[in-house]
Amino acid sequence: MVIILKSRSESWTLQGLAAARLRLSPHHPSLQAMASKFSNLEAGIGGEERVENALGKNPLLPDHRIFYDLSLSSSEKFQIDTLFLTPSYGIVFEVKNISGKLFFKENPPQLIRIRENGQADGFDCPAEQAERNRFLLDMWLQSKGIQLPLLAVVILAYPKQIVEIPPKKTKVLFPSLIPSFIRNLPQRRERLDPQTFERLCADLVNSHRNYIPDPICLTYNIPRFDIQTGVQCKACSKLGMVKLKKGWHCPACGHICRSAHERAIRDWFLLFGGKMTNRDCREFLHVDIDTASRLLKNMDLIVEGTFKNRTYRMNFENL
């Protein structure tokens, strides 16, 4: 039985990019950079899902816990793709999806990728990232009075990734090899009693903080007036739904939805960030002042100020 205590979080960066790509003109100069980022994020998520499948379909040690996409803070913030934890040890997995021939260089730490056409690209070293996360997690554990051996492992998402020169210190695996790697590790004595282990697992979950990216328009220097406003139809993806008493009506396909505004308001925060006013809401959704006030009050937003000075913030931690 696989015991997962922390599932993978939704990528707000991916959602923000999707919102921007929908609302920008097809020839906008930022689209190419955003499309590349979107593709890389999707590929990364695909690689992490392969790790989940490998762990989920194979027998593992009886007493273990798995944490996906765990964001913690010790001397600095850090994010672990996958943490495999037992009372005896923990494994920090760093997942990468970089195709081509891979050369792990030591001095300075760097990953060199050679494409089929011979082009060379440089990346931050995944082995160094895994070791850094292992070190930061060790500091986090020590701050809780816990000493536990930790391993750092790099996972390459697909076998088509060819490792020409592996890192000297850090193990590199494909997802299908993870279960056998875990089962073949030398038996270690238990460092944590059951109560301490369960308390640690709960503390890890409670200490997680979702990663909230910078607003898309700030990241890509996009003027606010470049963004098309309106509520998107879930059925046909067109902008321009109209608010009626029974819900939002799409003039393009006739679809009706009562909650279509929720996605639009979330998009606004991902695109622009900060605080939304009633005016921001009605200009973005194309509604009147009373409708905007009612929609905002019925959403689980953080409200600040009163009357004309009232503003709203989205708490992405609770989504």
Side-chain angles (χ1 to χ4, degrees):
M1 179 179 177
V2 177
I3 304 176
I4 300 171
L5 292 190
K6 165 69 178 61
S7 299
R8 195 161 305 287
S9 304
E10 185 170 8
S11 172
W12 295 120
T13 302
L14 199 68
Q15 296 298 321
L17 289 169
R21 295 172 71 187
L22 167 74
R23 296 174 180 275
L24 290 172
S25 70
H27 306 293
H28 196 278
S30 297
L31 277 179
Q32 184 175 355
M34 287 194 297
S36 176
K37 178 68 172 178
F38 190 91
S39 177
N40 289 338
L41 283 173
E42 278 199 320
I45 292 172
E48 292 165 7
E49 289 174 347
R50 286 178 63 84
V51 172
E52 293 183 39
N53 290 334
L55 289 171
K57 294 179 179 179
N58 292 274
L60 300 169
L61 302 179
D63 198 6
H64 73 273
R65 304 293 185 273
I66 298 174
F67 306 80
Y68 293 116
D69 193 20
L70 186 64
S71 294
L72 303 171
S73 180
S74 57
S75 61
E76 58 183 291
K77 293 181 180 180
F78 62 105
Q79 185 266 338
I80 297 174
D81 290 339
T82 300
L83 173 63
F84 183 87
L85 194 67
T86 77
S88 304
Y89 64 89
I91 308 175
V92 174
F93 292 110
E94 179 75 18
V95 185
K96 292 298 176 186
N97 185 2
I98 303 173
S99 60
K101 295 183 178 180
L102 307 180
F103 300 78
F104 287 81
K105 302 193 70 175
E106 301 291 331
N107 189 19
Q110 188 181 27
L111 177 66
I112 304 296
R113 184 265 301 279
I114 306 297
R115 301 173 184 257
E116 289 185 1
N117 62 5
Q119 178 182 331
D121 304 300
F123 301 89
D124 290 334
C125 181
E128 190 71 15
Q129 292 173 337
E131 293 293 342
R132 169 184 170 274
N133 287 338
R134 184 203 62 77
F135 172 76
L136 291 171
L137 178 60
D138 186 49
M139 289 183 62
W140 187 92
L141 291 172
Q142 290 187 40
S143 73
K144 309 293 181 181
I146 292 176
Q147 292 187 341
L148 199 65
L150 297 173
L151 304 173
V153 177
V154 173
I155 304 298
L156 299 179
Y158 298 94
K160 66 181 180 181
Q161 297 166 272
I162 302 171
V163 180
E164 294 285 351
I165 299 179
K168 292 181 179 179
K169 300 178 182 178
T170 310
K171 188 74 174 179
V172 178
L173 299 172
F174 295 116
S176 61
L177 300 176
I178 296 174
S180 60
F181 170 77
I182 292 173
R183 290 193 296 267
N184 291 328
L185 285 173
Q187 293 294 320
R188 301 168 183 255
R189 69 176 179 87
E190 288 195 355
R191 300 291 187 99
L192 305 178
D193 60 70
Q195 293 77 19
T196 303
F197 183 57
E198 293 301 330
R199 192 163 55 246
L200 168 61
C201 291
D203 202 3
L204 283 165
V205 173
N206 293 331
S207 298
H208 167 79
R209 294 294 178 267
N210 284 336
Y211 171 69
I212 311 302
D214 289 332
I216 294 295
C217 287
L218 176 64
T219 302
Y220 292 92
N221 196 27
I222 300 172
R224 181 172 292 215
F225 54 76
D226 285 1
I227 299 292
Q228 297 180 53
T229 58
V231 175
Q232 182 187 18
C233 175
K234 295 180 181 178
C236 70
S237 299
K238 301 253 184 219
L239 292 172
M241 296 190 84
V242 179
K243 185 69 176 74
L244 303 176
K245 285 187 177 180
K246 56 184 176 181
W248 292 90
H249 173 260
C250 178
C253 72
H255 179 69
I256 294 177
C257 177
R258 297 188 64 85
S259 60
H261 62 281
E262 295 177 1
R263 171 69 179 271
I265 290 174
R266 189 188 71 179
D267 285 353
W268 188 95
F269 285 104
L270 290 170
L271 291 166
F272 306 124
K275 301 176 182 180
M276 173 182 271
T277 64
N278 182 286
R279 180 176 180 177
D280 292 325
C281 181
R282 62 180 188 262
E283 288 180 351
F284 199 69
L285 273 58
H286 302 169
V287 294
D288 60 46
I289 188 170
D290 292 331
T291 301
S293 179
R294 185 171 65 255
L295 294 176
L296 288 168
K297 287 179 181 178
N298 289 335
M299 288 188 66
D300 187 20
L301 300 173
I302 300 171
V303 183
E304 298 178 359
T306 57
F307 303 108
K308 291 183 178 181
N309 296 322
R310 182 171 293 155
T311 59
Y312 303 83
R313 289 190 296 111
M314 181 157 281
N315 185 1
F316 285 97
E317 290 287 348
N318 292 337
L319 294 181

